[in-house]
Amino acid sequence: MKSPLAIVGLIFVVLGMLATAAGHWIGLFVAPPEAMMGDVGRILYVHVPTAWAALIFFMVAFVAAIGSLWSGWRGFDAATTGAVEVGTVLTFLLLIQGSIWARPTWNTWWTWDPRLTTSAVLAAAFGVVLLMRRLIDQPAKRQMATAVATIIAFVDVPVVYFSVKWWASLHQQASTRASMDSVMGLPLGVAALGMLVMGTGLMLLRTKVELVRLAHEADAPELPPTAAPLRLDDPAGGDPTLDEAT
Amino acid sequence: MDGMIDGGWGFVWAAYGITWAVLLGYLVTLVLPGRLSPPGS
């Protein structure tokens, strides 16, 4: 692995994991139980950083998608894919974490609350972007479709963020420094920074994987548009070894 | 404390465990041989 992008990506992943682990450790073993939620409130130290990071990577994907449309450069296409995939993984994780948190606090695994519903739509929308990308073979068409679909899916990001303000929601409002004690803000901040750095590393690695795949695809020889059909009744068109064998 | 939810560590460990397992698993898929460098290099 000699690629600077891959090496930087791995360094970010290791540093991010260390910071995330430190934040989680403080949140699990040093911070006090939350006043109402008790120990279950410790899930917020993993849930909130995951949510913040997911939305940030979708913003990165949005910017990369605009760059991809604007310039047509393959690097932007790969970066869009990397950011969308990391953001989607994090969004599925935050849905699972939220569901685990909801069971003891709301007495249900899932409810069609505005924040939960818009988050599920977000995961589905960007999941479709990744799926669609796999289904298009032509590189230029795939790059344009990925960028356009990413921009369309991004429309849901501000809706997710403001859903707790726009509609009556079971989900609590965004946590701020003013809404929590510093002993709880520290693990949240450290874990959020760690998740962002780790996610950046994963995005760089995924971008490199996509660049390698795109380069390999560009170097592959052109296949004929349609394969010649095998005709057993025509010796000129069939496999001569077949005739010898029979 | 009145009104505080008792227990729940199982939910906490499940949330953290799934998160770390998924992120580490995703990392492994990215660094598998051949994914970060062209085949044969």
Side-chain angles (χ1 to χ4, degrees):
Chain A
M1 190 195 310
K2 295 166 188 166
S3 159
L5 192 60
I7 292 168
V8 172
L10 269 181
I11 291 171
F12 269 64
V13 167
V14 171
L15 292 177
M17 282 189 167
L18 289 173
T20 306
H24 287 176
W25 180 270
I26 300 168
L28 286 169
F29 304 115
V30 179
E34 206 272 343
M36 298 300 290
M37 293 182 278
D39 288 320
V40 173
R42 299 179 195 279
I43 291 176
L44 297 185
Y45 302 122
V46 66
H47 180 63
V48 175
T50 304
W52 286 345
L55 296 185
I56 286 171
F57 286 110
F58 287 139
M59 287 175 68
V60 173
F62 176 71
V63 173
I66 290 174
S68 179
L69 274 184
W70 188 271
S71 69
W73 182 45
R74 202 162 57 185
F76 278 130
D77 185 39
T80 305
T81 306
V84 166
E85 191 167 294
V86 171
T88 305
V89 168
L90 293 174
T91 305
F92 275 105
L93 273 177
L94 83 88
L95 288 172
I96 294 168
Q97 297 157 353
S99 183
I100 293 171
W101 176 83
R103 183 68 184 88
T105 52
W106 295 348
N107 199 31
T108 181
W109 294 104
W110 181 263
T111 178
W112 294 102
D113 170 87
R115 170 58 70 84
L116 275 65
T117 305
T118 53
S119 300
V121 169
L122 192 69
F126 279 104
V128 167
V129 173
L130 294 171
L131 183 66
M132 187 196 66
R133 192 173 166 79
R134 284 180 170 270
L135 297 176
I136 302 175
D137 291 331
Q138 216 275 323
K141 193 176 169 186
R142 182 177 55 218
Q143 179 166 355
M144 175 167 285
T146 302
V148 170
T150 298
I151 291 167
I152 293 171
F154 181 78
V155 170
D156 192 34
V157 169
V159 178
V160 169
Y161 184 78
F162 289 110
S163 58
V164 290
K165 294 180 186 291
W166 289 346
W167 298 293
S169 177
L170 266 175
H171 197 281
Q172 68 192 66
Q173 298 280 324
S175 301
T176 62
R177 282 181 181 274
S179 67
M180 64 171 60
D181 192 273
S182 61
V183 74
M184 302 172 89
L186 176 69
L188 190 65
V190 173
L193 179 67
M195 193 67 89
L196 192 61
V197 174
M198 182 192 344
T200 302
L202 290 171
M203 188 196 80
L204 293 177
L205 289 175
R206 182 62 185 87
T207 300
K208 178 60 186 172
V209 166
E210 193 63 13
L211 283 171
V212 168
R213 203 184 68 75
L214 292 174
H216 189 57
E217 181 184 68
D219 292 342
E222 285 283 326
L223 291 172
T226 52
L230 179 65
R231 294 190 51 184
L232 293 176
D233 59 335
D234 177 11
D239 184 346
T241 57
L242 267 178
D243 294 333
E244 286 170 16
T246 53
Chain B
M1 208 178 298
D2 286 343
M4 186 195 277
I5 296 170
D6 287 328
W9 274 100
F11 292 103
V12 176
W13 290 124
Y16 280 81
I18 289 170
T19 300
W20 277 98
V22 168
L23 290 174
L24 287 171
Y26 181 55
L27 173 64
V28 169
T29 68
L30 295 178
V31 297
L32 284 174
R35 294 210 77 194
L36 288 167
S37 54
S41 67

